[in-house]
Amino acid sequence: LASLYYSTGGDGWANCPSGESGPGGGRAAGPCHPASRSGLVLDPDLAGAASPVRFLGGSDECDWFGVACDGGGRVVGVVLPSNGLRGPIPGGLYGAVPGLRVLDLSMNGIAGGLSTEVGGLAALEVLKLNNNNMSGTIPFESISRLDKLENLSLGGNDFTGDATAFCEGIESTGVRHFTADCAYSFPKSSPGGSTDEEPTAVAVVCPCCTLCMR
């Protein structure tokens, strides 16, 4: 998980940064407060993610803010919404947390694309990457392998893609909440009248989204 910290400007996080800019480096650490548990997924196994222990601290990573582990010490949740993350999700993250059930990095400044490696997170139930600066084509073929997925939130980014094939098989999955940038954008009319301009094409074709953003 240290790679996530360094890749997303951890020293600038809003809550519980380590205060270390890298090995041997350092600066004054920012605030570290416990997160409101009401803001976490309603799952008792993820309650540990509210812990006010700094990332990269001397304690076990299971005690770090935003991280939750099961009884066997496996990371099952990374919950860091609205925490000032800036930068790409490191490619090695997916392989480092094979038992991950919840990944919530929503409402940050996450950039870059969504790796096809996400399809290897067989236990993933919640993937919330909405309201970031991500781009590229959504790897729906990889996401379709996530048999336990219930919540897929990808809207509020610059993603593109076609979810038609994914949607055709969604009834046999547990997905109940799916957001993407699938709303048409209509040009603004002049102050005194209307416009006959055509709406812009949707970024993501999604016949089964429960909420379309733009």
Short mmCIF file of all heavy atoms in Angstrom, two decimals, residues 88-161:
data_model
loop_
_atom_site.label_atom_id
_atom_site.label_comp_id
_atom_site.label_asym_id
_atom_site.label_seq_id
_atom_site.Cartn_x
_atom_site.Cartn_y
_atom_site.Cartn_z
N PRO A 88 -1.96 8.76 -10.29
CA PRO A 88 -2.51 7.49 -10.77
C PRO A 88 -2.53 6.40 -9.70
O PRO A 88 -1.76 6.44 -8.74
CB PRO A 88 -1.56 7.10 -11.90
CG PRO A 88 -0.24 7.68 -11.46
CD PRO A 88 -0.58 8.99 -10.79
N ILE A 89 -3.41 5.43 -9.89
CA ILE A 89 -3.40 4.22 -9.06
C ILE A 89 -2.22 3.38 -9.53
O ILE A 89 -2.13 3.03 -10.71
CB ILE A 89 -4.71 3.43 -9.23
CG1 ILE A 89 -5.91 4.27 -8.79
CG2 ILE A 89 -4.66 2.14 -8.41
CD1 ILE A 89 -7.25 3.62 -9.09
N PRO A 90 -1.29 3.04 -8.65
CA PRO A 90 -0.13 2.26 -9.09
C PRO A 90 -0.53 0.87 -9.57
O PRO A 90 -1.39 0.22 -8.97
CB PRO A 90 0.75 2.20 -7.84
CG PRO A 90 -0.21 2.37 -6.70
CD PRO A 90 -1.26 3.31 -7.21
N GLY A 91 0.12 0.42 -10.63
CA GLY A 91 -0.24 -0.87 -11.22
C GLY A 91 -0.07 -2.03 -10.25
O GLY A 91 -0.80 -3.02 -10.33
N GLY A 92 0.88 -1.93 -9.35
CA GLY A 92 1.13 -3.03 -8.43
C GLY A 92 0.12 -3.16 -7.32
O GLY A 92 0.14 -4.15 -6.57
N LEU A 93 -0.79 -2.19 -7.18
CA LEU A 93 -1.75 -2.23 -6.08
C LEU A 93 -2.65 -3.46 -6.16
O LEU A 93 -2.90 -4.12 -5.16
CB LEU A 93 -2.61 -0.97 -6.08
CG LEU A 93 -3.71 -0.92 -5.01
CD1 LEU A 93 -3.10 -0.83 -3.61
CD2 LEU A 93 -4.65 0.27 -5.25
N TYR A 94 -3.13 -3.78 -7.35
CA TYR A 94 -4.11 -4.85 -7.50
C TYR A 94 -3.54 -6.20 -7.08
O TYR A 94 -4.19 -6.99 -6.40
CB TYR A 94 -4.61 -4.90 -8.94
CG TYR A 94 -5.17 -3.58 -9.42
CD1 TYR A 94 -4.44 -2.76 -10.28
CD2 TYR A 94 -6.41 -3.13 -8.99
CE1 TYR A 94 -4.93 -1.54 -10.71
CE2 TYR A 94 -6.92 -1.92 -9.41
CZ TYR A 94 -6.17 -1.12 -10.27
OH TYR A 94 -6.66 0.09 -10.67
N GLY A 95 -2.32 -6.47 -7.47
CA GLY A 95 -1.71 -7.74 -7.11
C GLY A 95 -1.32 -7.81 -5.64
O GLY A 95 -1.19 -8.90 -5.08
N ALA A 96 -1.16 -6.64 -5.01
CA ALA A 96 -0.74 -6.61 -3.60
C ALA A 96 -1.89 -6.85 -2.64
O ALA A 96 -1.66 -7.18 -1.47
CB ALA A 96 -0.08 -5.26 -3.29
N VAL A 97 -3.12 -6.69 -3.10
CA VAL A 97 -4.28 -6.84 -2.21
C VAL A 97 -5.30 -7.78 -2.86
O VAL A 97 -6.42 -7.38 -3.15
CB VAL A 97 -4.91 -5.47 -1.88
CG1 VAL A 97 -4.04 -4.70 -0.91
CG2 VAL A 97 -5.13 -4.64 -3.17
N PRO A 98 -4.97 -9.04 -3.05
CA PRO A 98 -5.85 -9.97 -3.78
C PRO A 98 -7.18 -10.23 -3.07
O PRO A 98 -8.14 -10.64 -3.72
CB PRO A 98 -5.02 -11.25 -3.87
CG PRO A 98 -4.05 -11.16 -2.73
CD PRO A 98 -3.72 -9.71 -2.61
N GLY A 99 -7.24 -10.00 -1.76
CA GLY A 99 -8.49 -10.24 -1.03
C GLY A 99 -9.34 -9.00 -0.86
O GLY A 99 -10.30 -9.00 -0.08
N LEU A 100 -9.03 -7.94 -1.61
CA LEU A 100 -9.74 -6.67 -1.45
C LEU A 100 -11.22 -6.80 -1.79
O LEU A 100 -11.59 -7.34 -2.81
CB LEU A 100 -9.10 -5.61 -2.36
CG LEU A 100 -9.43 -4.15 -2.04
CD1 LEU A 100 -8.82 -3.75 -0.70
CD2 LEU A 100 -8.91 -3.24 -3.15
N ARG A 101 -12.05 -6.31 -0.88
CA ARG A 101 -13.50 -6.32 -1.09
C ARG A 101 -14.06 -4.94 -1.41
O ARG A 101 -15.08 -4.81 -2.08
CB ARG A 101 -14.20 -6.88 0.15
CG ARG A 101 -13.97 -8.37 0.37
CD ARG A 101 -14.38 -8.82 1.75
NE ARG A 101 -15.65 -8.24 2.16
CZ ARG A 101 -16.04 -8.12 3.44
NH1 ARG A 101 -15.24 -8.54 4.41
NH2 ARG A 101 -17.20 -7.60 3.74
N VAL A 102 -13.40 -3.90 -0.90
CA VAL A 102 -13.87 -2.54 -1.12
C VAL A 102 -12.69 -1.65 -1.50
O VAL A 102 -11.69 -1.60 -0.77
CB VAL A 102 -14.55 -1.96 0.14
CG1 VAL A 102 -14.93 -0.49 -0.08
CG2 VAL A 102 -15.80 -2.76 0.50
N LEU A 103 -12.80 -0.98 -2.64
CA LEU A 103 -11.83 0.04 -3.04
C LEU A 103 -12.61 1.32 -3.30
O LEU A 103 -13.34 1.43 -4.28
CB LEU A 103 -11.06 -0.38 -4.29
CG LEU A 103 -10.04 0.64 -4.81
CD1 LEU A 103 -8.98 0.94 -3.76
CD2 LEU A 103 -9.39 0.14 -6.11
N ASP A 104 -12.47 2.28 -2.40
CA ASP A 104 -13.18 3.55 -2.52
C ASP A 104 -12.17 4.69 -2.52
O ASP A 104 -11.64 5.08 -1.47
CB ASP A 104 -14.17 3.71 -1.36
CG ASP A 104 -15.01 5.00 -1.48
OD1 ASP A 104 -14.77 5.79 -2.42
OD2 ASP A 104 -15.90 5.20 -0.62
N LEU A 105 -11.90 5.20 -3.70
CA LEU A 105 -11.00 6.35 -3.87
C LEU A 105 -11.77 7.50 -4.51
O LEU A 105 -11.20 8.34 -5.22
CB LEU A 105 -9.80 5.96 -4.75
CG LEU A 105 -8.96 4.78 -4.27
CD1 LEU A 105 -7.81 4.51 -5.26
CD2 LEU A 105 -8.39 5.03 -2.87
N SER A 106 -13.06 7.56 -4.27
CA SER A 106 -13.93 8.54 -4.91
C SER A 106 -13.65 9.96 -4.42
O SER A 106 -13.10 10.17 -3.34
CB SER A 106 -15.39 8.18 -4.64
OG SER A 106 -15.67 8.17 -3.23
N MET A 107 -14.01 10.92 -5.26
CA MET A 107 -13.96 12.35 -4.92
C MET A 107 -12.56 12.80 -4.52
O MET A 107 -12.35 13.46 -3.51
CB MET A 107 -14.99 12.68 -3.83
CG MET A 107 -16.42 12.44 -4.26
SD MET A 107 -17.66 12.73 -2.98
CE MET A 107 -17.38 11.30 -1.94
N ASN A 108 -11.60 12.41 -5.34
CA ASN A 108 -10.22 12.83 -5.17
C ASN A 108 -9.73 13.43 -6.48
O ASN A 108 -10.53 13.95 -7.25
CB ASN A 108 -9.36 11.63 -4.75
CG ASN A 108 -9.53 11.26 -3.28
OD1 ASN A 108 -9.13 12.01 -2.40
ND2 ASN A 108 -10.11 10.09 -3.03
N GLY A 109 -8.44 13.34 -6.73
CA GLY A 109 -7.85 13.81 -7.99
C GLY A 109 -7.10 12.69 -8.66
O GLY A 109 -6.05 12.91 -9.26
N ILE A 110 -7.64 11.46 -8.56
CA ILE A 110 -7.00 10.30 -9.17
C ILE A 110 -6.96 10.50 -10.68
O ILE A 110 -7.97 10.85 -11.30
CB ILE A 110 -7.75 9.01 -8.83
CG1 ILE A 110 -7.80 8.78 -7.31
CG2 ILE A 110 -7.10 7.82 -9.52
CD1 ILE A 110 -6.46 8.55 -6.68
N ALA A 111 -5.79 10.28 -11.27
CA ALA A 111 -5.61 10.45 -12.72
C ALA A 111 -5.24 9.12 -13.35
O ALA A 111 -5.08 8.11 -12.67
CB ALA A 111 -4.54 11.50 -12.99
N GLY A 112 -5.12 9.13 -14.67
CA GLY A 112 -4.73 7.91 -15.38
C GLY A 112 -5.92 7.02 -15.65
O GLY A 112 -7.08 7.38 -15.42
N GLY A 113 -5.64 5.82 -16.13
CA GLY A 113 -6.70 4.90 -16.49
C GLY A 113 -6.95 3.84 -15.44
O GLY A 113 -6.29 3.80 -14.40
N LEU A 114 -7.94 3.00 -15.74
CA LEU A 114 -8.27 1.86 -14.88
C LEU A 114 -7.65 0.62 -15.51
O LEU A 114 -8.03 0.22 -16.61
CB LEU A 114 -9.78 1.70 -14.74
CG LEU A 114 -10.28 0.52 -13.90
CD1 LEU A 114 -9.72 0.58 -12.49
CD2 LEU A 114 -11.81 0.50 -13.87
N SER A 115 -6.72 0.00 -14.81
CA SER A 115 -5.98 -1.13 -15.35
C SER A 115 -6.86 -2.37 -15.51
O SER A 115 -7.78 -2.61 -14.72
CB SER A 115 -4.81 -1.46 -14.42
OG SER A 115 -4.18 -2.67 -14.80
N THR A 116 -6.54 -3.16 -16.52
CA THR A 116 -7.24 -4.43 -16.70
C THR A 116 -6.96 -5.38 -15.54
O THR A 116 -7.70 -6.34 -15.33
CB THR A 116 -6.80 -5.11 -18.01
OG1 THR A 116 -5.37 -5.28 -18.01
CG2 THR A 116 -7.19 -4.27 -19.22
N GLU A 117 -5.92 -5.08 -14.75
CA GLU A 117 -5.58 -5.92 -13.61
C GLU A 117 -6.67 -5.90 -12.54
O GLU A 117 -6.69 -6.77 -11.67
CB GLU A 117 -4.26 -5.47 -13.00
CG GLU A 117 -3.05 -5.72 -13.88
CD GLU A 117 -1.75 -5.30 -13.23
OE1 GLU A 117 -1.73 -5.14 -11.99
OE2 GLU A 117 -0.75 -5.12 -13.94
N VAL A 118 -7.57 -4.94 -12.62
CA VAL A 118 -8.66 -4.89 -11.65
C VAL A 118 -9.50 -6.17 -11.72
O VAL A 118 -10.11 -6.58 -10.73
CB VAL A 118 -9.54 -3.64 -11.88
CG1 VAL A 118 -10.37 -3.79 -13.15
CG2 VAL A 118 -10.45 -3.37 -10.68
N GLY A 119 -9.50 -6.83 -12.85
CA GLY A 119 -10.25 -8.07 -13.02
C GLY A 119 -9.72 -9.21 -12.19
O GLY A 119 -10.40 -10.23 -12.05
N GLY A 120 -8.54 -9.04 -11.62
CA GLY A 120 -7.98 -10.09 -10.78
C GLY A 120 -8.40 -10.00 -9.33
O GLY A 120 -8.08 -10.89 -8.53
N LEU A 121 -9.16 -8.97 -8.97
CA LEU A 121 -9.62 -8.81 -7.59
C LEU A 121 -10.92 -9.59 -7.41
O LEU A 121 -12.01 -9.02 -7.34
CB LEU A 121 -9.83 -7.32 -7.26
CG LEU A 121 -8.57 -6.45 -7.29
CD1 LEU A 121 -8.93 -4.99 -7.06
CD2 LEU A 121 -7.55 -6.92 -6.25
N ALA A 122 -10.80 -10.89 -7.32
CA ALA A 122 -11.97 -11.78 -7.35
C ALA A 122 -12.96 -11.55 -6.22
O ALA A 122 -14.14 -11.85 -6.35
CB ALA A 122 -11.50 -13.24 -7.33
N ALA A 123 -12.50 -10.98 -5.10
CA ALA A 123 -13.39 -10.77 -3.95
C ALA A 123 -14.04 -9.39 -3.95
O ALA A 123 -14.83 -9.08 -3.06
CB ALA A 123 -12.60 -10.96 -2.65
N LEU A 124 -13.73 -8.55 -4.94
CA LEU A 124 -14.18 -7.16 -4.93
C LEU A 124 -15.70 -7.04 -4.99
O LEU A 124 -16.34 -7.61 -5.86
CB LEU A 124 -13.55 -6.40 -6.08
CG LEU A 124 -13.57 -4.87 -5.96
CD1 LEU A 124 -12.71 -4.41 -4.79
CD2 LEU A 124 -13.07 -4.22 -7.26
N GLU A 125 -16.25 -6.29 -4.05
CA GLU A 125 -17.69 -6.05 -3.98
C GLU A 125 -18.05 -4.60 -4.31
O GLU A 125 -19.13 -4.33 -4.83
CB GLU A 125 -18.21 -6.38 -2.58
CG GLU A 125 -17.99 -7.83 -2.16
CD GLU A 125 -18.32 -8.06 -0.69
OE1 GLU A 125 -18.86 -7.14 -0.05
OE2 GLU A 125 -18.02 -9.15 -0.18
N VAL A 126 -17.16 -3.68 -3.97
CA VAL A 126 -17.42 -2.26 -4.17
C VAL A 126 -16.21 -1.61 -4.84
O VAL A 126 -15.09 -1.70 -4.33
CB VAL A 126 -17.70 -1.54 -2.83
CG1 VAL A 126 -17.86 -0.03 -3.05
CG2 VAL A 126 -18.94 -2.12 -2.18
N LEU A 127 -16.43 -0.97 -6.00
CA LEU A 127 -15.39 -0.22 -6.69
C LEU A 127 -15.92 1.19 -6.93
O LEU A 127 -16.76 1.41 -7.79
CB LEU A 127 -15.02 -0.89 -8.01
CG LEU A 127 -13.95 -0.16 -8.85
CD1 LEU A 127 -12.64 -0.03 -8.09
CD2 LEU A 127 -13.74 -0.87 -10.18
N LYS A 128 -15.43 2.15 -6.14
CA LYS A 128 -15.90 3.53 -6.24
C LYS A 128 -14.73 4.42 -6.64
O LYS A 128 -13.86 4.71 -5.83
CB LYS A 128 -16.51 3.98 -4.92
CG LYS A 128 -17.73 3.18 -4.49
CD LYS A 128 -18.35 3.72 -3.21
CE LYS A 128 -19.01 5.08 -3.42
NZ LYS A 128 -19.72 5.53 -2.20
N LEU A 129 -14.75 4.84 -7.89
CA LEU A 129 -13.73 5.72 -8.43
C LEU A 129 -14.36 6.99 -8.99
O LEU A 129 -13.72 7.73 -9.75
CB LEU A 129 -12.92 5.01 -9.51
CG LEU A 129 -12.17 3.75 -9.06
CD1 LEU A 129 -11.54 3.06 -10.27
CD2 LEU A 129 -11.11 4.09 -8.04
N ASN A 130 -15.61 7.24 -8.65
CA ASN A 130 -16.33 8.38 -9.20
C ASN A 130 -15.74 9.72 -8.76
O ASN A 130 -15.09 9.83 -7.72
CB ASN A 130 -17.80 8.31 -8.80
CG ASN A 130 -18.03 8.22 -7.31
OD1 ASN A 130 -17.80 7.15 -6.71
ND2 ASN A 130 -18.45 9.30 -6.67
N ASN A 131 -15.96 10.72 -9.58
CA ASN A 131 -15.56 12.10 -9.30
C ASN A 131 -14.06 12.23 -9.08
O ASN A 131 -13.58 12.68 -8.03
CB ASN A 131 -16.34 12.65 -8.10
CG ASN A 131 -17.83 12.70 -8.35
OD1 ASN A 131 -18.55 11.77 -7.95
ND2 ASN A 131 -18.32 13.72 -9.02
N ASN A 132 -13.32 11.82 -10.11
CA ASN A 132 -11.88 11.97 -10.14
C ASN A 132 -11.48 12.56 -11.49
O ASN A 132 -12.32 13.16 -12.18
CB ASN A 132 -11.20 10.62 -9.91
CG ASN A 132 -11.11 10.25 -8.44
OD1 ASN A 132 -10.39 10.88 -7.67
ND2 ASN A 132 -11.84 9.21 -8.04
N ASN A 133 -10.23 12.40 -11.88
CA ASN A 133 -9.75 12.90 -13.17
C ASN A 133 -9.25 11.74 -14.04
O ASN A 133 -8.32 11.90 -14.81
CB ASN A 133 -8.60 13.90 -12.96
CG ASN A 133 -9.03 15.12 -12.19
OD1 ASN A 133 -10.12 15.64 -12.40
ND2 ASN A 133 -8.18 15.58 -11.28
N MET A 134 -9.89 10.59 -13.90
CA MET A 134 -9.46 9.41 -14.63
C MET A 134 -9.92 9.46 -16.09
O MET A 134 -10.88 10.15 -16.42
CB MET A 134 -9.96 8.15 -13.93
CG MET A 134 -9.46 8.01 -12.50
SD MET A 134 -9.91 6.45 -11.71
CE MET A 134 -8.81 5.31 -12.58
N SER A 135 -9.22 8.75 -16.94
CA SER A 135 -9.52 8.78 -18.37
C SER A 135 -9.19 7.43 -19.00
O SER A 135 -8.73 6.51 -18.33
CB SER A 135 -8.72 9.89 -19.05
OG SER A 135 -7.32 9.69 -18.86
N GLY A 136 -9.43 7.34 -20.29
CA GLY A 136 -9.16 6.09 -21.01
C GLY A 136 -10.41 5.24 -21.13
O GLY A 136 -11.50 5.61 -20.68
N THR A 137 -10.25 4.09 -21.72
CA THR A 137 -11.37 3.17 -21.95
C THR A 137 -11.59 2.29 -20.73
O THR A 137 -10.64 1.71 -20.20
CB THR A 137 -11.11 2.29 -23.18
OG1 THR A 137 -10.89 3.13 -24.32
CG2 THR A 137 -12.29 1.37 -23.45
N ILE A 138 -12.82 2.19 -20.29
CA ILE A 138 -13.16 1.33 -19.15
C ILE A 138 -13.00 -0.13 -19.56
O ILE A 138 -13.59 -0.57 -20.56
CB ILE A 138 -14.59 1.58 -18.67
CG1 ILE A 138 -14.76 3.03 -18.21
CG2 ILE A 138 -14.95 0.63 -17.52
CD1 ILE A 138 -16.19 3.41 -17.90
N PRO A 139 -12.23 -0.93 -18.83
CA PRO A 139 -12.01 -2.33 -19.20
C PRO A 139 -13.17 -3.23 -18.75
O PRO A 139 -13.05 -4.01 -17.81
CB PRO A 139 -10.71 -2.67 -18.48
CG PRO A 139 -10.75 -1.84 -17.24
CD PRO A 139 -11.40 -0.55 -17.66
N PHE A 140 -14.29 -3.11 -19.46
CA PHE A 140 -15.48 -3.85 -19.04
C PHE A 140 -15.28 -5.36 -19.10
O PHE A 140 -15.88 -6.09 -18.29
CB PHE A 140 -16.68 -3.45 -19.90
CG PHE A 140 -17.26 -2.11 -19.54
CD1 PHE A 140 -17.19 -1.05 -20.41
CD2 PHE A 140 -17.86 -1.93 -18.30
CE1 PHE A 140 -17.71 0.19 -20.07
CE2 PHE A 140 -18.39 -0.70 -17.95
CZ PHE A 140 -18.32 0.36 -18.84
N GLU A 141 -14.46 -5.84 -20.03
CA GLU A 141 -14.24 -7.28 -20.11
C GLU A 141 -13.58 -7.78 -18.82
O GLU A 141 -13.93 -8.85 -18.30
CB GLU A 141 -13.36 -7.62 -21.31
CG GLU A 141 -13.15 -9.11 -21.50
CD GLU A 141 -12.37 -9.44 -22.76
OE1 GLU A 141 -12.11 -8.52 -23.58
OE2 GLU A 141 -12.03 -10.63 -22.94
N SER A 142 -12.65 -7.00 -18.28
CA SER A 142 -12.00 -7.38 -17.03
C SER A 142 -12.97 -7.26 -15.85
O SER A 142 -13.02 -8.12 -14.98
CB SER A 142 -10.78 -6.48 -16.78
OG SER A 142 -9.81 -6.65 -17.80
N ILE A 143 -13.75 -6.19 -15.84
CA ILE A 143 -14.71 -5.97 -14.75
C ILE A 143 -15.76 -7.08 -14.72
O ILE A 143 -16.25 -7.45 -13.65
CB ILE A 143 -15.36 -4.58 -14.89
CG1 ILE A 143 -14.32 -3.48 -14.69
CG2 ILE A 143 -16.50 -4.40 -13.88
CD1 ILE A 143 -14.83 -2.08 -14.96
N SER A 144 -16.09 -7.61 -15.88
CA SER A 144 -17.11 -8.67 -15.94
C SER A 144 -16.68 -9.94 -15.21
O SER A 144 -17.51 -10.79 -14.91
CB SER A 144 -17.45 -8.99 -17.40
OG SER A 144 -16.35 -9.58 -18.06
N ARG A 145 -15.39 -10.05 -14.90
CA ARG A 145 -14.92 -11.23 -14.18
C ARG A 145 -15.11 -11.09 -12.67
O ARG A 145 -14.87 -12.05 -11.92
CB ARG A 145 -13.43 -11.46 -14.48
CG ARG A 145 -13.14 -11.74 -15.95
CD ARG A 145 -11.80 -12.44 -16.13
NE ARG A 145 -10.68 -11.63 -15.66
CZ ARG A 145 -9.98 -10.80 -16.43
NH1 ARG A 145 -10.32 -10.64 -17.70
NH2 ARG A 145 -8.96 -10.13 -15.95
N LEU A 146 -15.55 -9.93 -12.22
CA LEU A 146 -15.73 -9.68 -10.79
C LEU A 146 -17.11 -10.18 -10.36
O LEU A 146 -18.08 -9.41 -10.28
CB LEU A 146 -15.55 -8.19 -10.48
CG LEU A 146 -14.21 -7.59 -10.92
CD1 LEU A 146 -14.18 -6.09 -10.65
CD2 LEU A 146 -13.06 -8.28 -10.19
N ASP A 147 -17.22 -11.44 -10.06
CA ASP A 147 -18.50 -12.09 -9.80
C ASP A 147 -19.20 -11.57 -8.55
O ASP A 147 -20.42 -11.71 -8.42
CB ASP A 147 -18.31 -13.60 -9.67
CG ASP A 147 -17.83 -14.24 -10.95
OD1 ASP A 147 -18.10 -13.66 -12.03
OD2 ASP A 147 -17.19 -15.30 -10.89
N LYS A 148 -18.45 -10.99 -7.61
CA LYS A 148 -19.05 -10.54 -6.36
C LYS A 148 -19.35 -9.05 -6.35
O LYS A 148 -19.83 -8.51 -5.35
CB LYS A 148 -18.14 -10.89 -5.19
CG LYS A 148 -17.95 -12.39 -5.00
CD LYS A 148 -17.11 -12.71 -3.78
CE LYS A 148 -16.96 -14.21 -3.59
NZ LYS A 148 -16.14 -14.55 -2.40
N LEU A 149 -19.09 -8.37 -7.44
CA LEU A 149 -19.26 -6.91 -7.51
C LEU A 149 -20.72 -6.51 -7.33
O LEU A 149 -21.61 -7.06 -7.97
CB LEU A 149 -18.73 -6.39 -8.84
CG LEU A 149 -18.53 -4.88 -8.94
CD1 LEU A 149 -17.44 -4.41 -7.98
CD2 LEU A 149 -18.16 -4.49 -10.37
N GLU A 150 -20.96 -5.53 -6.45
CA GLU A 150 -22.31 -5.02 -6.19
C GLU A 150 -22.43 -3.54 -6.52
O GLU A 150 -23.50 -3.07 -6.89
CB GLU A 150 -22.69 -5.23 -4.72
CG GLU A 150 -22.72 -6.69 -4.29
CD GLU A 150 -23.02 -6.84 -2.81
OE1 GLU A 150 -23.25 -5.81 -2.13
OE2 GLU A 150 -23.02 -7.97 -2.31
N ASN A 151 -21.35 -2.79 -6.35
CA ASN A 151 -21.39 -1.34 -6.54
C ASN A 151 -20.23 -0.95 -7.44
O ASN A 151 -19.08 -1.14 -7.09
CB ASN A 151 -21.28 -0.64 -5.18
CG ASN A 151 -21.42 0.87 -5.28
OD1 ASN A 151 -21.00 1.50 -6.25
ND2 ASN A 151 -22.00 1.47 -4.25
N LEU A 152 -20.55 -0.39 -8.61
CA LEU A 152 -19.55 0.06 -9.57
C LEU A 152 -19.83 1.52 -9.88
O LEU A 152 -20.79 1.85 -10.57
CB LEU A 152 -19.63 -0.79 -10.85
CG LEU A 152 -18.67 -0.42 -11.98
CD1 LEU A 152 -17.22 -0.54 -11.54
CD2 LEU A 152 -18.93 -1.30 -13.21
N SER A 153 -19.01 2.41 -9.35
CA SER A 153 -19.23 3.86 -9.49
C SER A 153 -18.05 4.48 -10.22
O SER A 153 -16.96 4.63 -9.65
CB SER A 153 -19.40 4.51 -8.11
OG SER A 153 -20.53 3.98 -7.43
N LEU A 154 -18.27 4.83 -11.48
CA LEU A 154 -17.19 5.34 -12.33
C LEU A 154 -17.50 6.70 -12.92
O LEU A 154 -16.68 7.24 -13.68
CB LEU A 154 -16.92 4.34 -13.47
CG LEU A 154 -16.53 2.92 -13.05
CD1 LEU A 154 -16.40 2.04 -14.29
CD2 LEU A 154 -15.25 2.91 -12.26
N GLY A 155 -18.65 7.28 -12.62
CA GLY A 155 -19.05 8.56 -13.19
C GLY A 155 -18.22 9.73 -12.68
O GLY A 155 -17.50 9.63 -11.70
N GLY A 156 -18.32 10.86 -13.38
CA GLY A 156 -17.60 12.05 -12.96
C GLY A 156 -16.13 11.99 -13.31
O GLY A 156 -15.29 12.58 -12.62
N ASN A 157 -15.79 11.27 -14.38
CA ASN A 157 -14.42 11.17 -14.87
C ASN A 157 -14.41 11.48 -16.37
O ASN A 157 -15.37 12.03 -16.90
CB ASN A 157 -13.87 9.76 -14.62
CG ASN A 157 -13.52 9.50 -13.18
OD1 ASN A 157 -12.55 10.03 -12.66
ND2 ASN A 157 -14.33 8.67 -12.50
N ASP A 158 -13.33 11.15 -17.03
CA ASP A 158 -13.24 11.32 -18.49
C ASP A 158 -13.12 9.97 -19.18
O ASP A 158 -12.47 9.84 -20.22
CB ASP A 158 -12.04 12.20 -18.85
CG ASP A 158 -12.23 13.64 -18.41
OD1 ASP A 158 -13.34 14.16 -18.58
OD2 ASP A 158 -11.28 14.24 -17.88
N PHE A 159 -13.74 8.96 -18.60
CA PHE A 159 -13.72 7.63 -19.19
C PHE A 159 -14.54 7.59 -20.47
O PHE A 159 -15.48 8.36 -20.66
CB PHE A 159 -14.32 6.61 -18.22
CG PHE A 159 -13.41 6.20 -17.09
CD1 PHE A 159 -13.88 6.20 -15.78
CD2 PHE A 159 -12.11 5.78 -17.33
CE1 PHE A 159 -13.06 5.79 -14.73
CE2 PHE A 159 -11.29 5.37 -16.29
CZ PHE A 159 -11.76 5.38 -14.99
N THR A 160 -14.21 6.63 -21.32
CA THR A 160 -15.02 6.30 -22.48
C THR A 160 -15.23 4.80 -22.48
O THR A 160 -14.59 4.06 -21.73
CB THR A 160 -14.32 6.71 -23.80
OG1 THR A 160 -13.05 6.04 -23.89
CG2 THR A 160 -14.11 8.21 -23.86
N GLY A 161 -16.14 4.34 -23.32
CA GLY A 161 -16.34 2.90 -23.42
C GLY A 161 -17.76 2.52 -23.76
O GLY A 161 -18.66 3.37 -23.80
#
